[in-house]
Amino acid sequence: MITEADIAAVGKTTRTHGVHGELACTFDTEFDFDRCTCFIFDMDAIFVPFFVAAHRHKNDTTTLVKIDDIDDEQAARALCGKTIYVKKELVADNDRLSLDYFVGFDIVDTQLGHIGT
């Protein structure tokens, strides 16, 4: 049984995409997508795994995901607006800083002076 202590929220399903059951998803937490075999959804207070069949990036903010056995728009619609959970071990280490953290800092060399932002 999957418990809340075993998982971490990483994003949300936003809408369906097409008629073959793909879901448009947005993620706000970094995790190891290559090792992720399933997304976990809260289905009536029970955490249920849904296995990822395929995924592709639509743009910088949206990933299209195909879930096993979700083959039409109506079935995919049942997962729209749900929080996406994954196993905690797949979530990026919070002690490490992402590259986005460094955007906006000034680089100053003691001999050359200001190099840039």
Side-chain angles (χ1 to χ4, degrees):
M1 180 173 193
I2 301 170
T3 65
E4 197 167 355
D6 300 328
I7 58 178
V10 294
K12 200 168 200 67
T13 58
T14 56
R15 60 181 180 80
T16 62
H17 179 80
V19 295
H20 299 291
E22 276 188 308
L23 289 164
C25 303
T26 58
F27 299 99
D28 52 17
T29 303
E30 291 182 34
F31 68 101
D32 190 349
F33 213 127
D34 295 330
R35 288 184 37 227
C36 182
T37 58
C38 68
F39 288 161
I40 300 164
F41 296 104
D42 183 346
M43 305 297 287
D44 298 325
I46 298 172
F47 293 109
V48 180
F50 286 80
F51 294 90
V52 176
H55 74 279
R56 59 192 169 101
H57 298 286
K58 181 177 179 185
N59 55 41
D60 290 345
T61 60
T62 304
T63 300
L64 301 177
V65 177
K66 178 71 175 90
I67 304 287
D68 280 346
D69 300 323
I70 303 289
D71 296 322
D72 59 35
E73 185 180 2
Q74 183 177 352
R77 196 174 294 124
L79 297 175
C80 285
K82 291 206 173 273
T83 299
I84 300 169
Y85 298 92
V86 297
K87 294 177 184 175
K88 272 191 178 175
E89 61 262 17
L90 298 176
V91 176
D93 185 1
N94 290 338
D95 294 336
R96 289 182 32 206
L97 299 175
S98 72
L99 292 176
D100 292 335
Y101 172 82
F102 296 99
V103 173
F105 279 81
D106 288 326
I107 300 173
V108 180
D109 185 274
T110 55
Q111 294 176 351
L112 300 174
H114 187 265
I115 294 175
T117 301

